[in-house]
Amino acid sequence: MRLFQEMFGNIMKCLKWIFVLALIIVAAAFPKILVQSQPPPVIEVPYLEIPVTLDGAIVGDEWSDAVMLDLTFYFYDSETKELLGIRTGRIYFKHDCVNLWICFQIEDKVENIDGSYIAIFYDVSGDMAISSGDDEKGMIHPDRAFDNAIIPPPDYYDEDVNLGGTNDTQGASEWYNKWLTYEFVHPLNSGDALGNDVALNPGDSIPALFMVGDEEFGLENYSSTGYYNLIITPCPVGGELLMVNVLKAVSYTHLRAHETRHDLVCRLLLE
């Protein structure tokens, strides 16, 4: 009986993750963000000087060398438009000339609600709207990094691994003292054109917007910002790539190609 209960629990968790991913698909296909006509605010992303441990927690001064942006997210009921709640947050960026390092903190008053997520949409297509050709990267709590591509209808969206590309994002998330922290990293230029991945070099820039889903409000009631223009500052002369630590092990399945969404989600849950 206990074995049956454990198997049933794993199946329900698997179905839950599929539901979360499906909601992110809907958000990508039918975004609340309109085409942004005004020039986006600028965020200058500095060179990384302090190594980072990807453990879902800001420890010591590991993000003190990053640029930090304060954000406020308003969650409305998708049908009634009633304000459900407000969450404050902050996002940190820095780069090591090869990778973009990101830390995203958001208020989460209920401890360890699995399924909350954050996403960054990169305007690869250059039209200042979520549209075909764009890149989406982010995390589902706990510790599920994803790498998606926005594609033409009728599909609108798919994971890079299903398009012949790879999941180039890794990270970890952790809840502590009413804050949910996501730490993750992805290449500036992975070479993965099949997944619409960003192709940046130091000195380049790209518009990006940020999206948050909080299960307390219902994951279909996500909140998002307008676009910000991320400028990857030039590397220092003679600068060297600093070594970093990944405290939480990232499963090899994050990098497996050609897996279906169902296979990937279930494999991560059952490992």
Side-chain angles (χ1 to χ4, degrees):
M1 177 62 71
R2 182 176 180 180
L3 178 60
F4 174 79
Q5 291 176 337
E6 290 179 354
M7 292 177 61
F8 180 77
N10 285 332
I11 292 172
M12 294 304 296
K13 287 182 180 180
C14 183
L15 292 174
K16 177 180 179 180
W17 288 111
I18 294 172
F19 175 68
V20 172
L21 285 171
L23 287 173
I24 298 174
I25 293 172
V26 173
F30 304 101
K32 297 179 181 177
I33 295 297
L34 301 177
V35 176
Q36 186 167 317
S37 58
Q38 299 298 319
V42 170
I43 301 176
E44 293 191 2
V45 180
Y47 174 71
L48 179 153
E49 297 180 349
I50 302 173
V52 172
T53 298
L54 293 179
D55 56 3
I58 295 180
V59 179
D61 62 353
E62 64 178 355
W63 288 97
S64 62
D65 59 337
V67 62
M68 190 269 285
L69 176 68
D70 287 315
L71 298 168
T72 303
F73 292 94
Y74 297 87
F75 293 84
Y76 292 92
D77 187 283
S78 59
E79 295 183 357
T80 67
K81 310 306 179 185
E82 176 189 358
L83 179 63
L84 301 175
I86 301 173
R87 291 284 187 265
T88 59
R90 61 183 71 96
I91 189 168
Y92 302 81
F93 289 98
K94 56 184 175 179
H95 75 91
D96 59 16
C97 303
V98 177
N99 301 293
L100 183 60
W101 296 84
I102 303 163
C103 178
F104 204 128
Q105 284 192 310
I106 187 165
E107 283 184 294
D108 194 345
K109 297 179 181 179
V110 181
E111 181 175 0
N112 284 329
I113 291 186
D114 294 352
S116 297
Y117 66 87
I118 57 97
I120 299 178
F121 290 85
Y122 293 104
D123 185 28
V124 177
S125 61
D127 60 1
M128 296 298 291
I130 300 175
S131 58
S132 178
D134 289 347
D135 184 25
E136 179 193 12
K137 302 182 190 296
M139 292 194 66
I140 303 172
H141 179 65
D143 303 332
R144 268 62 175 182
F146 60 82
D147 189 358
N148 304 325
I150 311 303
I151 58 178
D155 295 327
Y156 292 102
Y157 155 103
D158 208 340
E159 294 181 61
D160 286 16
V161 294
N162 295 333
L163 299 172
T166 58
N167 184 346
D168 302 305
T169 305
Q170 60 176 320
S173 62
E174 193 72 51
W175 185 95
Y176 177 72
N177 196 24
K178 298 183 180 181
W179 285 88
L180 185 54
T181 301
Y182 304 84
E183 291 182 307
F184 60 107
V185 61
H186 66 77
L188 289 172
N189 187 349
S190 68
D192 183 7
L194 294 173
N196 294 349
D197 276 9
V198 292
L200 298 170
N201 294 303
D204 291 345
S205 65
I206 190 167
L209 69 79
F210 318 124
M211 180 180 291
V212 173
D214 188 325
E215 188 166 298
E216 183 179 346
F217 301 129
L219 292 177
E220 69 278 10
N221 302 314
Y222 58 89
S223 177
S224 55
T225 69
Y227 279 97
Y228 292 83
N229 192 28
L230 301 183
I231 298 177
I232 311 301
T233 58
C235 293
V237 176
E240 296 180 354
L241 179 66
L242 297 182
M243 297 300 294
V244 296
N245 301 312
V246 180
L247 186 60
K248 290 189 178 181
V250 178
S251 169
Y252 77 99
T253 55
H254 279 162
L255 302 179
R256 285 177 57 94
H258 310 297
E259 284 194 297
T260 66
R261 184 180 299 110
H262 178 274
D263 290 339
L264 179 59
V265 174
C266 290
R267 189 191 298 272
L268 290 172
L269 286 169
L270 297 176
E271 285 185 340

